[in-house]
Amino acid sequence: MQSSFIHTISERKWAQWLLILLITLIWGYSWVLMKDALRYMGPYTFSALRFGTGAATMLTIVWLLRVGRPPKSAISHLIVVGILQTSVVFLLVMYALKFIDAGKSSLLLYSMPLWSGLLAAFFLREKISALRWGGVGLGVAGLLVVMGADALSRQSAEVLWGEFLIVLAAVSWGASNIYYRLKLGELSKLQVNAYQMLFGTIGITLVAWFAEGGETVVWTAESVYYVLFTGVLASALCFTVWFMLLSVVDMIGATMPSLLVPVFGLFFGWLLLGEVLTASVLIGSTLILSGVWLSSVRR
């Protein structure tokens, strides 16, 4: 099944770009659902439900594709990646969404390639070219524009704290990428994603139990839709298709999600939640996305 799908899309360039556009569109739209889900349940509870559903779906896909179980020697490394990439990132993100807009949150989180590149230079001894240093500089300047403008406009301390937590989540995501390359580079990406999501979900569930165990979850058709869409479609199915696409798309295609997801996040936040696109957000997003693109370019 997996090989036939890869063979089919490898011969159809239009199908590759259509799938990339669809995946990034879904990921961008998911930020609106993550924000609005806070009307029905606590941030940690939503994350536990979302990734619990996503992990169950991913493990089912791994079983159907006969990918197999990871070796015992990889379990401890998968736990570390799960904590860094799923537990830490989305505990911080969902808490921060209580205070800041969905679109701005997506923009700040997808500064991840900047931190990933810097960490790769330190831990993997990757050489950073002048072009990539310029990209890092642009990205950091964009972050300063967004966060600095909020500080100067006397935004509440909660907003500034939320923005800092999102950036910290981006650093954690970047660190998980480095750890993956150091310890799990030989494993199937589908296998890694399924099991790191499982272990990450366990971490989130423990936090949700202790922090929100007594809080009521409001179950409606809308809240169920939010959990299923972000868990099954955005977290499991989109990642499965994306990992298959990685074997056939070129470098430009591989960097597109980092560029398009926050763009769609900002657009859907403005369209569906009425979030205001200030001049600082537009200027900062241009700088950050330009920096991400330059940092991702390979000669």
Side-chain angles (χ1 to χ4, degrees):
M1 183 187 302
Q2 181 178 356
S3 58
S4 61
F5 175 80
I6 292 174
H7 176 72
T8 300
I9 62 174
S10 65
E11 297 180 342
R12 294 171 173 82
K13 197 73 173 178
W14 63 268
Q16 298 171 22
W17 291 106
L18 181 62
L19 285 171
I20 289 171
L21 180 63
L22 182 61
I23 289 170
T24 52
L25 189 67
I26 290 171
W27 283 342
Y29 171 62
S30 293
W31 283 89
V32 170
L33 305 189
M34 290 159 59
K35 174 75 173 180
D36 206 43
L38 299 179
R39 296 192 294 121
Y40 301 99
M41 63 194 80
Y44 306 144
T45 300
F46 173 76
S47 293
L49 292 170
R50 170 192 175 177
F51 287 105
T53 305
T57 305
M58 278 296 305
L59 291 171
T60 302
I61 292 171
V62 166
W63 176 71
L64 290 173
L65 296 179
R66 299 179 181 179
V67 176
R69 295 180 181 177
K72 290 183 179 179
S73 59
I75 297 299
S76 60
H77 302 309
L78 287 167
I79 292 173
V80 173
V81 173
I83 291 172
L84 289 174
Q85 183 171 323
T86 298
S87 298
V88 173
V89 171
F90 286 96
L91 286 172
L92 293 178
V93 164
M94 289 305 301
Y95 180 77
L97 277 171
K98 294 169 63 176
F99 313 117
I100 61 178
D101 291 345
K104 187 187 294 184
S105 300
S106 67
L107 176 66
L108 296 176
L109 183 65
Y110 276 82
S111 67
M112 174 273 295
L114 304 176
W115 313 115
S116 189
L118 290 174
L119 291 171
F122 185 78
F123 290 102
L124 304 179
R125 298 294 187 265
E126 286 190 1
K127 185 178 180 181
I128 301 184
S129 65
L131 185 66
R132 295 182 70 190
W133 273 121
V136 171
L138 278 178
V140 172
L143 292 173
L144 291 175
V145 167
V146 173
M147 300 174 70
D150 284 342
L152 292 174
S153 63
R154 298 182 180 179
Q155 287 279 7
S156 69
E158 290 180 333
V159 170
L160 299 177
W161 176 240
E163 292 174 351
F164 172 76
L165 291 179
I166 296 286
V167 174
L168 190 61
V171 175
S172 181
W173 187 5
S176 75
N177 292 339
I178 303 306
Y179 193 88
Y180 161 77
R181 290 178 60 184
L182 285 171
K183 303 295 185 180
L184 297 168
E186 301 300 319
L187 290 186
S188 158
K189 289 185 176 66
L190 285 175
Q191 198 175 52
V192 170
N193 196 58
Y195 284 89
Q196 72 81 16
M197 191 180 295
L198 171 64
F199 295 127
T201 301
I202 293 172
I204 291 174
T205 302
L206 290 173
V207 173
W209 176 265
F210 287 106
E212 301 172 348
E215 295 184 15
T216 302
V217 177
V218 180
W219 289 112
T220 65
E222 200 170 34
S223 62
V224 171
Y225 165 70
Y226 289 172
V227 170
L228 293 179
F229 187 98
T230 56
V232 176
L233 188 58
S235 298
L237 297 182
C238 279
F239 270 112
T240 299
V241 175
W242 175 247
F243 286 140
M244 292 181 181
L245 277 169
L246 283 178
S247 63
V248 296
V249 296
D250 56 21
M251 181 55 66
I252 297 300
T255 60
M256 281 190 67
S258 294
L259 299 174
L260 289 180
V261 173
V263 172
F264 287 134
L266 288 167
F267 171 73
F268 284 121
W270 166 78
L271 180 68
L272 301 176
L273 299 179
E275 296 177 352
V276 179
L277 296 179
T278 62
S280 62
V281 169
L282 293 175
I283 294 171
S285 63
T286 301
L287 291 172
I288 291 171
L289 297 180
S290 299
V292 166
W293 183 80
L294 286 176
S295 298
S296 303
V297 166
R298 296 292 188 276
R299 191 177 303 179

